[in-house]
């Protein structure tokens, strides 16, 4: 039987220190949270904090970095009140810095760059003007803008890196001063 949202979040929380479990749980959460109805359930099950912790526990494992960024992007998708709250909760948990660290640690791994950009874009963009601007500034302060540009330059032939890099740049650089 396929693992559901609560079970995947529980596995990640309990066994995230094991890289293969972290990878499998992040990938499963990413798949499940591609569907909007699963995003809030994942957050309610503690997935956001567990997803942030997984790449921190395995900084040199590109697959965990990729899976963590992919899961974070999917959990944080959405512009309803719950989606905006998930974005802020993820930022408060350190997701921006985790995505930036993943991109910094694995500059030649196109999928890490792609999903790192996607995670930054999903966490930063929002309709909560002052908080969204603070998330954008936090990304800039962490070196995210430079890393997005580096990803675009390092992977000119990888369409997904170009797409999500441009999306991340737009998400981080839009809006006015807070």
């Amino acid at each position: 039987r396929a693992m559901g949202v609560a079970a995947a979040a529980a596995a990640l929380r309990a066994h995230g220190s094991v890289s293969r479990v972290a990878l499998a749980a992040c990938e499963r959460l990413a798949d499940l949270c591609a569907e909007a109805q699963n995003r809030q359930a994942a957050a309610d099950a503690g997935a956001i904090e567990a997803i942030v912790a997984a790449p921190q526990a395995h900084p040199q494992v590109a697959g965990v970095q990729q899976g963590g960024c992919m899961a974070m992007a999917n959990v944080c998708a959405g512009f309803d009140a719950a989606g905006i709250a998930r974005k802020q909760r993820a930022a408060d948990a350190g997701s921006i810095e985790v995505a930036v660290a993943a991109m910094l640690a694995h500059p030649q791994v196109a999928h890490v760059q792609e999903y790192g950009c996607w995670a930054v874009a999903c966490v930063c963009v929002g309709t909560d003007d002052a908080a969204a601007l603070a998330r954008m500034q936090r990304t800039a302060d962490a070196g995210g803008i430079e890393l997005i540009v580096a990803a675009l330059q390092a992977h000119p032939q990888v369409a997904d890196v170009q797409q999500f890099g441009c999306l991340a740049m737009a998400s981080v650089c839009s809006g006015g001063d807070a």
Side-chain angles (χ1 to χ4, degrees):
R1 190 177 132 222
M3 187 181 310
V5 172
L12 188 55
R13 283 193 327 273
H15 305 290
S17 62
V18 179
S19 63
R20 64 185 171 77
V21 174
L23 175 60
C26 283
E27 288 179 344
R28 182 65 179 145
L29 286 165
D31 288 345
L32 290 166
C33 293
E35 298 178 25
Q37 72 269 16
N38 291 328
R39 295 175 186 149
Q40 192 57 45
D44 292 344
I48 290 173
E49 294 78 8
I51 292 166
V52 169
Q56 290 173 325
H58 308 284
Q60 297 308 313
V61 182
V64 175
Q65 302 301 306
Q66 174 186 328
C69 287
M70 185 170 43
M72 188 57 59
N74 284 352
V75 170
C76 291
F79 292 101
D80 60 349
I84 297 299
R86 288 191 304 272
K87 293 171 193 295
Q88 190 59 49
R89 181 171 162 187
D92 291 343
S95 65
I96 292 167
E97 293 79 5
V98 164
V100 169
M103 294 174 70
L104 184 62
H106 303 279
Q108 297 306 315
V109 182
H111 286 307
V112 172
Q113 300 303 304
E114 171 189 347
Y115 293 116
C117 286
W118 189 20
V120 165
C122 287
V123 172
C124 286
V125 71
T127 55
D128 54 336
D129 298 336
L133 288 171
R135 292 190 301 271
M136 292 173 199
Q137 186 61 52
R138 192 165 165 178
T139 302
D141 292 345
I145 293 172
E146 293 83 358
L147 286 169
I148 294 165
V149 171
L152 292 167
Q153 291 173 334
H155 303 282
Q157 300 302 317
V158 182
D160 288 337
V161 172
Q162 298 298 306
Q163 176 185 351
F164 290 116
C166 289
L167 179 64
M169 194 61 75
S171 296
V172 172
C173 295
S174 65
D177 288 337

